[in-house]
Amino acid sequence: MSETIETVRSLVVPLDNGSILLPGTVVAEIVPFVEPERTDAAAPDWVMGMAEWRDEQIPLISFEALCGEPVPQPSRTARIAVLKALGGAQELRYFGVLTQQIPRLLTVYEGGLEDLEREAGSPAVAARVMVNGEAVMIPDMDLLERDLKTLLA
Protein backbone atom coordinates (compact mmCIF):
# COMPACT_ATOMS: atom_id res chain seq x y z
CA MET A 1 0.00 0.00 0.00
CA SER A 2 1.45 3.36 -0.97
CA GLU A 3 0.74 6.68 0.68
CA THR A 4 -0.26 9.67 -1.42
CA ILE A 5 1.62 12.86 -0.63
CA GLU A 6 -0.43 15.93 -1.47
CA THR A 7 1.51 18.73 -3.17
CA VAL A 8 0.67 22.09 -4.67
CA ARG A 9 2.90 23.59 -7.34
CA SER A 10 3.13 27.23 -6.32
CA LEU A 11 4.88 30.48 -7.14
CA VAL A 12 6.64 32.77 -4.70
CA VAL A 13 6.03 36.28 -6.03
CA PRO A 14 8.66 38.77 -4.75
CA LEU A 15 7.34 42.14 -3.68
CA ASP A 16 9.27 45.21 -2.61
CA ASN A 17 9.20 44.09 1.02
CA GLY A 18 8.28 40.42 1.28
CA SER A 19 6.62 37.84 -0.95
CA ILE A 20 3.23 36.36 -1.67
CA LEU A 21 2.55 32.68 -2.29
CA LEU A 22 0.14 31.70 -5.04
CA PRO A 23 -0.92 28.32 -6.39
CA GLY A 24 0.52 27.85 -9.86
CA THR A 25 -2.95 27.25 -11.31
CA VAL A 26 -3.89 30.88 -10.58
CA VAL A 27 -0.96 32.34 -12.54
CA ALA A 28 -1.66 32.71 -16.25
CA GLU A 29 1.70 34.21 -17.24
CA ILE A 30 4.66 36.28 -16.05
CA VAL A 31 5.36 39.17 -18.43
CA PRO A 32 7.80 42.10 -18.53
CA PHE A 33 6.63 45.22 -16.72
CA VAL A 34 4.83 47.80 -18.86
CA GLU A 35 3.81 51.18 -17.50
CA PRO A 36 0.05 51.03 -16.89
CA GLU A 37 -2.32 53.67 -18.17
CA ARG A 38 -3.98 55.50 -15.29
CA THR A 39 -7.61 55.75 -16.36
CA ASP A 40 -9.53 56.66 -13.22
CA ALA A 41 -8.18 59.41 -10.98
CA ALA A 42 -10.61 58.32 -8.25
CA ALA A 43 -9.20 54.77 -8.14
CA PRO A 44 -7.30 53.87 -4.96
CA ASP A 45 -3.49 53.96 -5.03
CA TRP A 46 -3.24 50.18 -5.06
CA VAL A 47 -4.79 50.15 -8.55
CA MET A 48 -1.86 51.32 -10.64
CA GLY A 49 -3.91 51.49 -13.84
CA MET A 50 -4.69 49.32 -16.83
CA ALA A 51 -1.97 47.32 -18.58
CA GLU A 52 -2.20 45.66 -21.96
CA TRP A 53 -1.86 41.89 -22.00
CA ARG A 54 -2.64 39.77 -25.06
CA ASP A 55 -4.72 42.57 -26.65
CA GLU A 56 -6.75 42.92 -23.46
CA GLN A 57 -6.73 45.69 -20.83
CA ILE A 58 -6.27 44.26 -17.34
CA PRO A 59 -6.06 46.10 -14.02
CA LEU A 60 -2.56 46.20 -12.54
CA ILE A 61 -2.32 46.32 -8.77
CA SER A 62 0.34 46.88 -6.16
CA PHE A 63 -0.12 44.36 -3.36
CA GLU A 64 2.13 46.49 -1.17
CA ALA A 65 -0.20 49.49 -1.56
CA LEU A 66 -3.21 47.26 -0.91
CA CYS A 67 -1.57 46.45 2.42
CA GLY A 68 -1.15 50.15 3.26
CA GLU A 69 2.45 50.64 2.12
CA PRO A 70 3.54 53.09 -0.60
CA VAL A 71 3.40 51.93 -4.22
CA PRO A 72 6.96 50.81 -4.96
CA GLN A 73 8.94 52.07 -7.93
CA PRO A 74 9.24 49.18 -10.39
CA SER A 75 12.79 47.84 -10.41
CA ARG A 76 14.64 47.14 -13.65
CA THR A 77 13.79 43.46 -13.09
CA ALA A 78 10.09 44.15 -12.42
CA ARG A 79 7.48 41.89 -13.97
CA ILE A 80 3.73 41.54 -13.99
CA ALA A 81 2.23 38.33 -12.65
CA VAL A 82 -0.99 37.92 -14.64
CA LEU A 83 -3.50 36.12 -12.44
CA LYS A 84 -6.71 34.36 -13.37
CA ALA A 85 -9.75 35.78 -11.62
CA LEU A 86 -11.57 32.84 -10.07
CA GLY A 87 -14.94 34.51 -9.52
CA GLY A 88 -16.21 33.78 -13.04
CA ALA A 89 -17.29 37.37 -13.75
CA GLN A 90 -16.97 38.43 -17.38
CA GLU A 91 -15.85 41.97 -16.42
CA LEU A 92 -12.82 40.60 -14.54
CA ARG A 93 -11.19 37.55 -16.08
CA TYR A 94 -7.55 38.49 -15.38
CA PHE A 95 -5.59 41.05 -13.41
CA GLY A 96 -1.93 41.79 -12.87
CA VAL A 97 0.21 42.09 -9.75
CA LEU A 98 3.45 44.08 -9.80
CA THR A 99 6.38 41.88 -8.84
CA GLN A 100 9.91 43.21 -8.37
CA GLN A 101 11.63 40.10 -9.74
CA ILE A 102 10.80 36.95 -11.63
CA PRO A 103 8.67 34.69 -9.38
CA ARG A 104 10.10 31.29 -8.57
CA LEU A 105 8.47 27.89 -8.53
CA LEU A 106 8.01 26.08 -5.26
CA THR A 107 6.38 22.75 -4.47
CA VAL A 108 4.42 22.96 -1.23
CA TYR A 109 3.96 19.60 0.46
CA GLU A 110 1.10 18.65 2.73
CA GLY A 111 2.03 19.90 6.17
CA GLY A 112 4.79 22.07 4.69
CA LEU A 113 3.24 25.37 5.76
CA GLU A 114 3.68 26.68 9.26
CA ASP A 115 1.21 29.34 10.37
CA LEU A 116 2.77 32.49 11.69
CA GLU A 117 1.04 34.49 14.38
CA ARG A 118 -1.71 36.56 12.80
CA GLU A 119 -0.83 40.17 13.39
CA ALA A 120 -3.19 43.06 12.87
CA GLY A 121 -2.72 44.09 9.30
CA SER A 122 -4.36 44.21 5.96
CA PRO A 123 -7.55 42.25 5.31
CA ALA A 124 -6.00 41.51 1.88
CA VAL A 125 -3.72 38.99 3.62
CA ALA A 126 -5.57 35.74 4.33
CA ALA A 127 -2.59 34.20 6.14
CA ARG A 128 1.07 34.65 6.93
CA VAL A 129 2.97 31.39 6.75
CA MET A 130 6.46 29.98 6.80
CA VAL A 131 7.36 27.73 3.89
CA ASN A 132 10.85 26.28 3.43
CA GLY A 133 12.18 28.74 6.01
CA GLU A 134 10.71 31.80 4.27
CA ALA A 135 7.89 33.98 5.59
CA VAL A 136 5.29 34.66 2.90
CA MET A 137 1.79 36.09 2.70
CA ILE A 138 -1.18 34.31 1.17
CA PRO A 139 -3.51 36.89 -0.38
CA ASP A 140 -7.27 36.85 0.12
CA MET A 141 -8.15 36.37 -3.55
CA ASP A 142 -11.91 36.60 -2.96
CA LEU A 143 -11.58 40.01 -1.31
CA LEU A 144 -9.17 41.21 -3.98
CA GLU A 145 -11.45 40.17 -6.83
CA ARG A 146 -14.53 41.60 -5.15
CA ASP A 147 -12.81 44.98 -4.69
CA LEU A 148 -11.57 45.00 -8.28
CA LYS A 149 -15.03 44.13 -9.65
CA THR A 150 -16.54 46.99 -7.62
CA LEU A 151 -13.97 49.43 -9.03
CA LEU A 152 -14.48 48.25 -12.61
CA ALA A 153 -18.28 48.50 -12.40
Side-chain angles (χ1 to χ4, degrees), residues 60-98:
L60 176 61
I61 69 162
S62 162
F63 195 79
E64 295 94 335
L66 185 62
C67 292
E69 298 175 19
V71 175
Q73 276 298 112
S75 68
R76 62 177 178 75
T77 58
R79 300 288 191 274
I80 296 173
V82 179
L83 307 183
K84 300 172 192 169
L86 304 175
Q90 190 60 31
E91 69 271 14
L92 182 66
R93 297 180 0 183
Y94 299 95
F95 62 96
V97 175
L98 172 65

Side-chain angles (χ1 to χ4, degrees), residues 16 31-34 72-80 98-102:
D16 197 41
V31 296
F33 176 78
V34 292
Q73 276 298 112
S75 68
R76 62 177 178 75
T77 58
R79 300 288 191 274
I80 296 173
L98 172 65
T99 176
Q100 293 298 338
Q101 298 175 21
I102 297 172

Side-chain angles (χ1 to χ4, degrees), residues 22-29 82-86 94-95 141 145:
L22 297 168
T25 55
V26 171
V27 181
E29 189 172 4
V82 179
L83 307 183
K84 300 172 192 169
L86 304 175
Y94 299 95
F95 62 96
M141 296 297 285
E145 288 182 33

